[in-house]
Protein backbone atom coordinates (compact mmCIF):
# COMPACT_ATOMS: atom_id res chain seq x y z
CA UNK A 1 0.00 0.00 0.00
CA UNK A 2 2.86 2.31 0.79
CA UNK A 3 4.32 1.66 -2.65
CA UNK A 4 0.96 2.29 -4.26
CA UNK A 5 0.53 5.58 -2.41
CA UNK A 6 4.01 6.66 -3.43
CA UNK A 7 3.28 5.84 -7.04
CA UNK A 8 0.03 7.83 -6.98
CA UNK A 9 1.81 10.81 -5.42
CA UNK A 10 4.45 10.65 -8.13
CA UNK A 11 1.81 10.48 -10.84
CA UNK A 12 0.02 13.51 -9.34
CA UNK A 13 3.30 15.41 -9.22
CA UNK A 14 3.93 14.67 -12.89
CA UNK A 15 0.35 15.65 -13.78
CA UNK A 16 0.68 18.98 -12.01
CA UNK A 17 4.06 19.67 -13.63
CA UNK A 18 2.73 18.83 -17.08
CA UNK A 19 -0.47 20.78 -16.49
CA UNK A 20 1.44 23.82 -15.34
CA UNK A 21 3.74 23.60 -18.34
CA UNK A 22 0.77 23.20 -20.67
CA UNK A 23 -1.09 26.13 -19.12
CA UNK A 24 2.02 28.29 -19.21
CA UNK A 25 2.66 27.45 -22.85
CA UNK A 26 -1.01 27.85 -23.81
CA UNK A 27 -1.47 31.11 -21.92
CA UNK A 28 1.61 32.72 -23.40
CA UNK A 29 0.43 31.92 -26.92
CA UNK A 30 -3.10 33.25 -26.58
CA UNK A 31 -2.23 36.90 -27.32
CA UNK A 32 1.07 36.60 -29.17
CA UNK A 33 -0.58 37.63 -32.43
CA UNK A 34 -1.97 40.87 -30.97
CA UNK A 35 -0.26 43.96 -32.38
CA UNK A 36 -0.51 47.45 -30.88
CA UNK A 37 -3.55 49.29 -32.23
CA UNK A 38 -2.92 52.38 -34.35
CA UNK A 39 -3.24 55.64 -32.47
CA UNK A 40 -6.64 57.27 -32.61
CA UNK A 41 -6.20 60.28 -34.93
CA UNK A 42 -7.77 62.63 -32.37
CA UNK A 43 -7.09 61.16 -28.94
CA UNK A 44 -3.62 60.13 -30.09
CA UNK A 45 -2.80 63.82 -30.49
CA UNK A 46 -3.47 64.38 -26.80
CA UNK A 47 -1.36 61.37 -25.81
CA UNK A 48 1.59 62.65 -27.83
CA UNK A 49 1.08 66.17 -26.49
CA UNK A 50 1.10 65.01 -22.87
CA UNK A 51 4.25 62.96 -23.44
CA UNK A 52 6.13 65.92 -24.93
CA UNK A 53 8.37 67.55 -22.27
CA UNK A 54 8.72 70.81 -24.21
CA UNK A 55 7.52 73.86 -22.24
CA UNK A 56 6.50 75.48 -25.53
CA UNK A 57 4.12 72.74 -26.68
CA UNK A 58 0.56 73.54 -27.73
CA UNK A 59 -2.40 71.34 -28.63
CA UNK A 60 -4.88 72.81 -31.13
CA UNK A 61 -6.36 69.52 -32.24
CA UNK A 62 -8.79 68.10 -29.70
CA UNK A 63 -12.37 69.35 -29.83
CA UNK A 64 -13.05 70.80 -26.39
CA UNK A 65 -14.06 74.35 -25.53
CA UNK A 66 -11.79 76.43 -23.30
CA UNK A 67 -11.90 79.90 -21.76
CA UNK A 68 -9.41 82.69 -22.49
CA UNK A 69 -7.02 81.16 -19.96
CA UNK A 70 -7.09 77.79 -21.64
CA UNK A 71 -9.15 76.22 -18.83
CA UNK A 72 -12.15 73.86 -19.15
CA UNK A 73 -15.51 75.55 -18.77
CA UNK A 74 -18.34 74.32 -16.54
CA UNK A 75 -21.54 76.23 -17.29
CA UNK A 76 -23.38 77.98 -14.48
CA UNK A 77 -26.58 76.12 -15.36
CA UNK A 78 -24.71 72.83 -14.93
CA UNK A 79 -23.34 73.89 -11.53
CA UNK A 80 -26.83 74.84 -10.37
CA UNK A 81 -28.32 71.59 -11.67
CA UNK A 82 -25.68 69.60 -9.81
CA UNK A 83 -26.37 71.56 -6.63
CA UNK A 84 -30.04 70.61 -6.87
CA UNK A 85 -29.25 66.99 -7.59
CA UNK A 86 -26.68 66.51 -4.81
CA UNK A 87 -28.17 64.63 -1.86
CA UNK A 88 -31.70 64.77 -3.23
CA UNK A 89 -31.88 62.04 -5.87
CA UNK A 90 -30.93 58.37 -5.81
CA UNK A 91 -28.47 56.66 -8.09
CA UNK A 92 -30.52 53.58 -8.99
CA UNK A 93 -30.22 51.90 -12.38
CA UNK A 94 -31.98 53.66 -15.22
CA UNK A 95 -34.18 51.59 -17.55
CA UNK A 96 -32.46 50.23 -20.66
CA UNK A 97 -33.90 53.15 -22.61
CA UNK A 98 -32.51 55.66 -20.12
CA UNK A 99 -34.11 58.66 -18.44
CA UNK A 100 -37.60 59.21 -19.83
CA UNK A 101 -37.55 62.87 -18.82
CA UNK A 102 -34.17 63.53 -20.41
CA UNK A 103 -35.23 61.84 -23.64
CA UNK A 104 -38.49 63.81 -23.77
CA UNK A 105 -36.70 67.14 -23.37
CA UNK A 106 -34.02 66.15 -25.89
CA UNK A 107 -36.59 65.28 -28.55
CA UNK A 108 -38.11 68.76 -28.18
CA UNK A 109 -34.74 70.30 -29.06
CA UNK A 110 -34.42 68.26 -32.24
CA UNK A 111 -38.00 67.91 -33.50
CA UNK A 112 -39.43 71.15 -32.12
CA UNK A 113 -41.10 72.18 -28.87
CA UNK A 114 -44.59 71.43 -30.20
CA UNK A 115 -43.74 68.66 -32.66
CA UNK A 116 -46.67 66.61 -33.92
CA UNK A 117 -44.37 63.59 -34.09
CA UNK A 118 -43.75 63.79 -30.34
CA UNK A 119 -47.46 64.30 -29.68
CA UNK A 120 -48.36 61.29 -31.86
CA UNK A 121 -45.68 59.14 -30.17
CA UNK A 122 -44.10 58.28 -33.50
CA UNK A 123 -40.50 58.59 -32.31
CA UNK A 124 -38.52 55.66 -30.97
CA UNK A 125 -35.87 57.15 -28.71
CA UNK A 126 -33.36 55.98 -26.11
CA UNK A 127 -30.68 57.64 -24.03
CA UNK A 128 -27.23 56.91 -25.43
CA UNK A 129 -23.60 57.17 -24.47
CA UNK A 130 -23.27 60.61 -26.02
CA UNK A 131 -23.20 60.99 -29.80
CA UNK A 132 -20.70 58.19 -30.34
CA UNK A 133 -22.97 55.72 -28.58
CA UNK A 134 -26.00 56.92 -30.52
CA UNK A 135 -24.18 56.44 -33.83
CA UNK A 136 -22.96 52.98 -32.84
CA UNK A 137 -26.38 51.90 -31.64
CA UNK A 138 -27.95 53.01 -34.91
CA UNK A 139 -25.19 51.32 -36.94
CA UNK A 140 -25.94 48.02 -35.20
CA UNK A 141 -29.67 48.58 -35.72
CA UNK A 142 -29.04 49.19 -39.42
CA UNK A 143 -26.95 46.02 -39.69
CA UNK A 144 -29.53 43.87 -37.94
CA UNK A 145 -32.63 45.08 -39.75
CA UNK A 146 -31.20 46.16 -43.12
CA UNK A 147 -28.29 43.71 -43.45
CA UNK A 148 -27.78 44.25 -47.19
CA UNK A 149 -27.48 48.03 -46.87
CA UNK A 150 -24.43 50.27 -46.79
CA UNK A 151 -23.81 53.73 -45.37
CA UNK A 152 -22.72 56.79 -47.34
CA UNK A 153 -20.40 58.98 -45.26
CA UNK A 154 -19.18 62.48 -46.25
CA UNK A 155 -15.58 62.97 -47.32
CA UNK A 156 -14.17 64.17 -45.02
CA UNK A 157 -15.95 63.41 -41.77
CA UNK A 158 -15.24 62.91 -38.08
CA UNK A 159 -12.74 60.04 -38.09
CA UNK A 160 -14.69 57.94 -35.61
CA UNK A 161 -17.67 57.66 -37.97
CA UNK A 162 -15.68 55.22 -40.07
CA UNK A 163 -14.71 53.18 -37.01
CA UNK A 164 -18.30 52.99 -35.80
CA UNK A 165 -19.86 51.63 -38.99
CA UNK A 166 -16.83 49.43 -39.67
CA UNK A 167 -17.10 47.71 -36.30
CA UNK A 168 -20.84 47.32 -36.84
CA UNK A 169 -19.88 45.54 -40.08
CA UNK A 170 -21.85 47.92 -42.28
CA UNK A 171 -20.17 48.50 -45.68
CA UNK A 172 -19.19 52.12 -46.28
CA UNK A 173 -19.09 54.43 -49.25
CA UNK A 174 -18.13 58.09 -49.26
CA UNK A 175 -19.80 61.02 -50.97
CA UNK A 176 -18.26 64.31 -52.03
CA UNK A 177 -18.58 67.15 -49.56
CA UNK A 178 -15.61 69.53 -49.22
CA UNK A 179 -14.07 71.42 -52.14
CA UNK A 180 -10.40 72.13 -51.37
CA UNK A 181 -10.08 74.84 -54.01
CA UNK A 182 -12.99 76.95 -52.76
CA UNK A 183 -12.69 75.77 -49.15
CA UNK A 184 -16.44 75.40 -49.27
CA UNK A 185 -19.11 72.86 -50.11
CA UNK A 186 -18.74 70.81 -53.28
CA UNK A 187 -22.48 70.97 -53.78
CA UNK A 188 -22.73 69.79 -57.39
CA UNK A 189 -20.60 66.71 -56.70
CA UNK A 190 -22.56 66.02 -53.51
CA UNK A 191 -25.85 66.12 -55.42
CA UNK A 192 -24.44 63.86 -58.13
CA UNK A 193 -23.47 61.29 -55.49
CA UNK A 194 -26.95 61.42 -53.97
CA UNK A 195 -28.51 60.91 -57.39
CA UNK A 196 -26.14 58.09 -58.34
CA UNK A 197 -26.48 56.13 -55.10
CA UNK A 198 -28.82 53.11 -55.28
CA UNK A 199 -32.41 53.90 -54.34
CA UNK A 200 -33.07 53.55 -50.64
CA UNK A 201 -29.50 54.15 -49.49
CA UNK A 202 -28.50 55.24 -45.99
CA UNK A 203 -26.68 58.58 -45.73
CA UNK A 204 -24.90 60.07 -42.73
CA UNK A 205 -25.44 63.84 -42.60
CA UNK A 206 -23.96 66.43 -40.23
CA UNK A 207 -26.90 68.52 -39.03
CA UNK A 208 -24.76 71.61 -38.41
CA UNK A 209 -21.14 72.70 -37.88
CA UNK A 210 -19.70 69.95 -40.07
CA UNK A 211 -16.72 68.28 -38.43
CA UNK A 212 -13.93 68.75 -39.48
CA UNK A 213 -14.55 71.39 -42.18
CA UNK A 214 -16.98 73.84 -40.58
CA UNK A 215 -18.75 73.97 -43.96
CA UNK A 216 -22.55 73.62 -43.94
CA UNK A 217 -25.07 73.69 -46.81
CA UNK A 218 -27.24 76.79 -47.02
CA UNK A 219 -30.94 76.53 -46.24
CA UNK A 220 -31.76 76.42 -49.94
CA UNK A 221 -29.15 73.71 -50.51
CA UNK A 222 -30.63 71.66 -47.66
CA UNK A 223 -34.01 71.91 -49.38
CA UNK A 224 -32.52 70.62 -52.61
CA UNK A 225 -30.80 67.79 -50.75
CA UNK A 226 -34.06 66.87 -49.02
CA UNK A 227 -35.93 66.89 -52.33
CA UNK A 228 -33.40 64.58 -53.96
CA UNK A 229 -33.58 62.23 -50.96
CA UNK A 230 -37.33 61.94 -51.52
CA UNK A 231 -36.84 61.26 -55.22
CA UNK A 232 -34.36 58.48 -54.46
CA UNK A 233 -36.03 57.16 -51.30
CA UNK A 234 -32.85 57.58 -49.24
CA UNK A 235 -32.73 57.41 -45.45
CA UNK A 236 -31.08 60.33 -43.65
CA UNK A 237 -29.27 59.76 -40.38
CA UNK A 238 -28.30 63.08 -38.80
CA UNK A 239 -25.40 63.40 -36.40
CA UNK A 240 -26.15 66.58 -34.43
CA UNK A 241 -23.23 67.10 -32.05
CA UNK A 242 -23.30 70.92 -31.99
CA UNK A 243 -26.91 72.06 -31.64
CA UNK A 244 -26.84 75.58 -30.18
CA UNK A 245 -23.06 75.56 -30.14
CA UNK A 246 -22.79 76.40 -33.84
CA UNK A 247 -24.88 79.56 -34.22
CA UNK A 248 -25.99 80.17 -30.65
CA UNK A 249 -29.59 79.28 -31.59
CA UNK A 250 -30.68 75.62 -31.17
CA UNK A 251 -33.61 76.03 -33.57
CA UNK A 252 -31.41 77.52 -36.28
CA UNK A 253 -28.88 74.72 -35.86
CA UNK A 254 -31.68 72.15 -36.26
CA UNK A 255 -32.92 73.74 -39.50
CA UNK A 256 -31.65 70.91 -41.69
CA UNK A 257 -33.60 68.39 -39.63
CA UNK A 258 -36.74 70.51 -39.64
CA UNK A 259 -36.57 70.77 -43.45
CA UNK A 260 -36.41 66.98 -43.79
CA UNK A 261 -39.31 66.60 -41.35
CA UNK A 262 -41.42 69.13 -43.29
CA UNK A 263 -40.73 67.15 -46.47
CA UNK A 264 -42.08 63.96 -44.92
CA UNK A 265 -38.87 62.00 -44.37
CA UNK A 266 -38.50 59.31 -41.75
CA UNK A 267 -35.10 60.05 -40.25
CA UNK A 268 -32.72 59.07 -37.48
CA UNK A 269 -30.91 61.52 -35.20
CA UNK A 270 -27.91 61.30 -32.91
CA UNK A 271 -27.76 64.06 -30.27
CA UNK A 272 -25.03 64.90 -27.78
CA UNK A 273 -24.60 67.26 -24.84
CA UNK A 274 -20.80 67.14 -24.83
CA UNK A 275 -20.28 70.47 -26.57
CA UNK A 276 -23.44 72.49 -26.00
CA UNK A 277 -23.57 71.81 -22.25
CA UNK A 278 -19.90 71.05 -21.74
CA UNK A 279 -20.77 67.55 -20.46
CA UNK A 280 -17.85 65.92 -22.27
CA UNK A 281 -17.10 63.31 -19.61
CA UNK A 282 -20.69 62.54 -18.66
CA UNK A 283 -21.36 60.78 -21.99
CA UNK A 284 -24.99 61.78 -22.29
CA UNK A 285 -26.89 61.79 -25.56
CA UNK A 286 -29.91 60.41 -27.38
CA UNK A 287 -30.71 58.26 -30.41
CA UNK A 288 -34.09 58.72 -32.06
CA UNK A 289 -35.79 57.19 -35.09
CA UNK A 290 -38.98 58.66 -36.59
CA UNK A 291 -41.46 55.89 -37.45
CA UNK A 292 -44.72 55.42 -39.35
CA UNK A 293 -46.90 55.30 -36.24
CA UNK A 294 -46.88 54.64 -32.50
CA UNK A 295 -46.98 50.87 -32.91
CA UNK A 296 -43.87 50.88 -35.09
CA UNK A 297 -42.12 53.26 -32.69
CA UNK A 298 -42.75 50.88 -29.79
CA UNK A 299 -41.27 48.00 -31.78
CA UNK A 300 -38.21 49.97 -32.89
CA UNK A 301 -37.52 51.23 -29.36
CA UNK A 302 -37.73 47.70 -28.00
CA UNK A 303 -35.12 46.58 -30.53
CA UNK A 304 -32.82 49.53 -29.74
CA UNK A 305 -33.03 48.56 -26.07
CA UNK A 306 -32.32 44.95 -26.97
CA UNK A 307 -29.17 46.05 -28.78
CA UNK A 308 -28.10 48.23 -25.85
CA UNK A 309 -28.55 45.46 -23.28
CA UNK A 310 -25.42 43.40 -24.11
CA UNK A 311 -23.39 46.56 -24.88
CA UNK A 312 -23.77 48.48 -21.62
CA UNK A 313 -27.06 47.24 -20.11
CA UNK A 314 -28.32 50.74 -19.26
CA UNK A 315 -26.90 54.26 -19.55
CA UNK A 316 -25.34 56.35 -16.75
CA UNK A 317 -27.62 58.42 -14.56
CA UNK A 318 -25.76 61.57 -13.54
CA UNK A 319 -25.47 63.30 -16.91
CA UNK A 320 -29.12 62.50 -17.64
CA UNK A 321 -30.13 64.11 -14.33
CA UNK A 322 -28.13 67.24 -15.17
CA UNK A 323 -29.71 67.58 -18.63
CA UNK A 324 -33.27 66.88 -17.51
CA UNK A 325 -32.90 69.30 -14.59
CA UNK A 326 -31.70 72.10 -16.89
CA UNK A 327 -34.14 71.57 -19.74
CA UNK A 328 -37.06 70.84 -17.43
CA UNK A 329 -36.74 74.11 -15.50
CA UNK A 330 -37.65 77.30 -17.45
CA UNK A 331 -35.14 79.50 -15.63
CA UNK A 332 -32.26 77.03 -15.95
CA UNK A 333 -33.08 76.44 -19.60
CA UNK A 334 -33.08 80.20 -20.18
CA UNK A 335 -29.65 80.40 -18.51
CA UNK A 336 -28.35 77.53 -20.68
CA UNK A 337 -29.56 79.23 -23.86
CA UNK A 338 -27.75 82.38 -22.78
CA UNK A 339 -24.52 80.54 -21.97
CA UNK A 340 -24.45 78.46 -25.13
CA UNK A 341 -24.94 81.64 -27.17
CA UNK A 342 -21.99 83.25 -25.39
CA UNK A 343 -19.78 80.30 -26.38
CA UNK A 344 -20.97 80.34 -29.98
CA UNK A 345 -20.63 84.11 -30.31
CA UNK A 346 -17.10 83.97 -28.91
CA UNK A 347 -16.03 81.50 -31.56
CA UNK A 348 -17.75 83.50 -34.30
CA UNK A 349 -15.97 86.61 -33.02
CA UNK A 350 -12.60 84.86 -33.18
CA UNK A 351 -13.26 83.99 -36.81
CA UNK A 352 -14.05 87.63 -37.57
CA UNK A 353 -10.93 88.80 -35.75
CA UNK A 354 -8.75 86.36 -37.66
CA UNK A 355 -10.10 87.42 -41.04
CA UNK A 356 -9.70 91.13 -40.22
CA UNK A 357 -6.11 90.67 -39.09
CA UNK A 358 -5.24 88.65 -42.18
CA UNK A 359 -6.62 91.47 -44.31
CA UNK A 360 -4.36 93.88 -42.40
CA UNK A 361 -1.37 91.80 -43.48
CA UNK A 362 -2.19 92.69 -47.08
CA UNK A 363 -2.68 89.11 -48.22
CA UNK A 364 -3.71 88.88 -51.90
CA UNK A 365 -5.79 85.81 -51.10
CA UNK A 366 -9.46 85.70 -50.15
CA UNK A 367 -10.17 84.77 -46.53
CA UNK A 368 -13.95 84.80 -46.85
CA UNK A 369 -14.12 81.09 -46.05
CA UNK A 370 -13.00 81.78 -42.47
CA UNK A 371 -16.21 83.61 -41.64
CA UNK A 372 -18.31 81.42 -43.95
CA UNK A 373 -17.38 78.34 -41.93
CA UNK A 374 -19.10 77.71 -38.62
CA UNK A 375 -18.40 75.87 -35.39
CA UNK A 376 -15.27 75.24 -33.39
CA UNK A 377 -13.14 73.74 -36.17
CA UNK A 378 -11.29 75.11 -39.16
CA UNK A 379 -10.05 72.92 -41.95
CA UNK A 380 -6.62 73.91 -43.21
CA UNK A 381 -6.04 71.51 -46.08
CA UNK A 382 -2.46 71.06 -44.84
CA UNK A 383 -0.91 67.73 -45.73
CA UNK A 384 -0.04 65.15 -43.06
CA UNK A 385 3.65 65.76 -43.78
CA UNK A 386 3.26 69.48 -43.09
CA UNK A 387 1.41 68.78 -39.86
CA UNK A 388 4.16 66.33 -38.86
CA UNK A 389 6.79 68.99 -39.39
CA UNK A 390 5.03 71.48 -37.15
CA UNK A 391 4.73 68.80 -34.47
CA UNK A 392 8.24 67.42 -34.72
CA UNK A 393 10.14 70.67 -35.04
CA UNK A 394 7.95 73.12 -33.16
CA UNK A 395 5.77 71.05 -30.77
CA UNK A 396 2.50 72.24 -32.32
CA UNK A 397 -0.03 69.40 -32.14
CA UNK A 398 -3.09 68.88 -34.35
CA UNK A 399 -4.77 66.04 -36.21
CA UNK A 400 -2.96 64.99 -39.37
CA UNK A 401 -5.87 66.06 -41.57
CA UNK A 402 -5.08 69.66 -40.60
CA UNK A 403 -8.18 70.20 -38.48
CA UNK A 404 -7.64 73.06 -36.02
CA UNK A 405 -9.72 73.75 -32.95
CA UNK A 406 -11.04 77.30 -32.99
CA UNK A 407 -12.31 77.57 -29.43
CA UNK A 408 -9.53 79.32 -27.56
CA UNK A 409 -6.59 81.64 -28.02
CA UNK A 410 -4.66 81.09 -24.80
CA UNK A 411 -2.19 78.68 -26.38
CA UNK A 412 -1.29 81.08 -29.15
CA UNK A 413 -0.54 83.87 -26.69
CA UNK A 414 1.56 81.52 -24.59
CA UNK A 415 3.84 80.73 -27.48
CA UNK A 416 4.50 84.21 -28.75
CA UNK A 417 7.33 84.99 -26.35
CA UNK A 418 9.17 81.66 -26.63
CA UNK A 419 12.31 81.12 -28.75
CA UNK A 420 10.86 77.93 -30.20
CA UNK A 421 7.77 79.80 -31.38
CA UNK A 422 9.79 82.53 -33.02
CA UNK A 423 11.88 79.86 -34.73
CA UNK A 424 8.75 78.19 -36.11
CA UNK A 425 7.55 81.28 -37.99
CA UNK A 426 9.92 80.86 -40.98
CA UNK A 427 8.81 77.25 -41.36
CA UNK A 428 5.16 78.33 -41.34
CA UNK A 429 5.92 80.95 -43.95
CA UNK A 430 7.59 78.26 -46.07
CA UNK A 431 4.46 76.12 -45.87
CA UNK A 432 2.30 79.17 -46.57
CA UNK A 433 4.25 79.91 -49.74
CA UNK A 434 4.25 76.27 -50.84
CA UNK A 435 0.51 75.88 -50.33
CA UNK A 436 -0.37 79.21 -51.92
CA UNK A 437 1.24 78.10 -55.16
CA UNK A 438 -1.08 75.10 -55.14
CA UNK A 439 -4.20 77.13 -54.26
CA UNK A 440 -4.90 74.85 -51.33
CA UNK A 441 -5.46 75.49 -47.62
CA UNK A 442 -2.82 77.68 -46.03
CA UNK A 443 -1.19 78.11 -42.68
CA UNK A 444 -2.55 81.40 -41.50
CA UNK A 445 -0.78 84.03 -39.48
CA UNK A 446 -3.00 86.10 -37.29
CA UNK A 447 -1.15 89.24 -36.35
CA UNK A 448 -1.56 92.82 -35.36
CA UNK A 449 -0.20 95.20 -37.97
CA UNK A 450 3.06 95.71 -36.06
CA UNK A 451 6.47 95.07 -37.64
CA UNK A 452 8.43 92.12 -36.22
CA UNK A 453 5.75 91.32 -33.61
CA UNK A 454 3.44 88.32 -33.96
CA UNK A 455 0.76 88.52 -31.34
CA UNK A 456 -1.00 85.26 -32.14
CA UNK A 457 -0.67 82.52 -34.72
CA UNK A 458 -3.40 80.14 -35.73
CA UNK A 459 -3.62 77.61 -38.53
CA UNK A 460 -6.84 77.70 -40.45
Amino acid sequence: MAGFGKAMACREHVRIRLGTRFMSSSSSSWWQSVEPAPKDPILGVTEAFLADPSPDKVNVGVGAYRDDNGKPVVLQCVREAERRIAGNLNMEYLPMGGSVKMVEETLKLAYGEHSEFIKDKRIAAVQSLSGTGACRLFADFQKRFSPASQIYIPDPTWANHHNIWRDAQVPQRTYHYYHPETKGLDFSALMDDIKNAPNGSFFLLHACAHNPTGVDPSEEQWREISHQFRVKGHFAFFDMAYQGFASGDPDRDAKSIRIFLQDGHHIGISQSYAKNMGLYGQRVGCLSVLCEDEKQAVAVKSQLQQLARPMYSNPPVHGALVVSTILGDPELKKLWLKEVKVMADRIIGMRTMLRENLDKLGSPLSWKHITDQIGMFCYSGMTPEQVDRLTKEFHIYMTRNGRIRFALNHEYRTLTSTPAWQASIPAMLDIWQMLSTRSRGLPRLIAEAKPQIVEEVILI
Side-chain angles (χ1 to χ4, degrees), residues 44-351:
V45 171
T46 298
E47 292 179 12
F49 170 77
L50 293 174
D52 187 345
S54 172
D56 300 327
K57 64 184 179 181
V58 58
N59 184 359
V60 294
V62 178
Y65 185 84
R66 296 289 186 266
D67 64 17
D68 279 335
N69 295 314
K71 303 298 183 182
V73 174
V74 179
L75 302 184
Q76 294 178 33
C77 62
V78 171
R79 290 296 192 205
E80 174 58 22
E82 289 191 314
R83 186 192 66 78
R84 297 183 188 184
I85 292 166
N88 295 314
L89 298 170
N90 65 57
M91 296 296 163
E92 289 291 313
Y93 289 123
L94 287 174
M96 284 189 291
S99 165
V100 174
K101 185 178 179 182
M102 190 282 289
V103 169
E104 288 177 349
E105 295 296 336
T106 301
L107 293 182
K108 292 177 186 177
L109 284 180
Y111 293 83
E113 185 74 26
H114 307 291
S115 169
E116 62 181 278
F117 307 115
I118 297 175
K119 187 185 304 180
D120 295 340
K121 300 181 179 180
R122 289 178 53 190
I123 305 171
V126 295
Q127 182 183 333
S128 65
L129 304 184
S130 201
T132 302
C135 287
R136 178 57 195 265
L137 200 56
F138 181 80
D140 280 348
F141 180 76
Q142 178 186 348
K143 179 64 177 179
R144 179 170 293 186
F145 294 99
S146 186
S149 68
Q150 56 190 355
I151 184 79
Y152 281 81
I153 295 177
D155 181 21
T157 192
W158 178 50
N160 212 24
H161 281 146
H162 293 292
N163 300 333
I164 290 166
W165 268 268
R166 178 202 65 209
D167 282 6
Q169 299 182 355
V170 176
Q172 301 176 39
R173 300 285 297 273
T174 59
Y175 63 90
H176 288 86
Y177 191 86
Y178 180 74
H179 196 298
E181 304 300 323
T182 64
K183 304 176 186 64
L185 183 67
D186 194 349
F187 184 66
S188 61
L190 183 156
M191 291 299 290
D192 285 342
D193 287 345
I194 293 172
K195 294 173 184 177
N196 293 330
N199 291 352
S201 293
F202 286 77
F203 275 75
L204 170 67
L205 303 172
H206 295 232
C208 61
H210 180 274
N211 180 2
T213 68
V215 174
D216 287 348
S218 67
E219 181 175 333
E220 183 56 38
Q221 287 171 332
W222 274 121
R223 294 190 185 282
E224 292 187 48
I225 293 169
S226 173
H227 172 73
Q228 195 58 47
F229 266 56
R230 279 192 62 80
V231 171
K232 295 289 292 185
H234 294 331
F235 184 90
F237 181 74
F238 286 92
D239 188 357
M240 185 160 59
Y242 301 96
Q243 186 180 12
F245 195 81
S247 70
D249 180 352
D251 286 327
R252 179 179 174 184
D253 291 344
K255 188 64 178 179
S256 59
I257 289 172
R258 308 286 171 80
I259 288 171
F260 270 67
L261 294 176
Q262 291 166 5
D263 288 348
H265 293 279
H266 293 163
I267 63 174
I269 307 175
S270 162
Q271 292 171 261
S272 166
Y273 291 101
K275 303 296 191 300
N276 59 13
M277 282 192 185
L279 299 176
Y280 300 96
Q282 296 297 342
R283 313 310 296 148
V284 56
C286 180
L287 168 64
S288 62
V289 180
L290 178 60
C291 302
E292 291 279 356
D293 51 35
E294 182 180 357
K295 180 180 179 180
Q296 187 180 87
V298 170
V300 170
K301 181 178 178 179
S302 72
Q303 292 293 345
L304 293 176
Q305 292 178 151
Q306 197 74 13
L307 286 165
R309 176 63 170 161
M311 282 189 193
Y312 52 84
S313 194
N314 42 27
V317 66
H318 185 73
L321 287 173
V322 172
V323 171
S324 59
T325 300
I326 292 171
L327 297 182
D329 181 278
E331 289 304 313
L332 278 185
K333 184 176 181 180
K334 182 179 179 180
L335 177 58
W336 170 64
L337 291 171
K338 177 182 177 181
E339 290 185 284
V340 76
K341 189 174 190 309
V342 167
M343 291 191 290
D345 285 349
R346 179 170 172 266
I347 293 173
I348 292 169
M350 290 179 66
R351 288 184 177 277

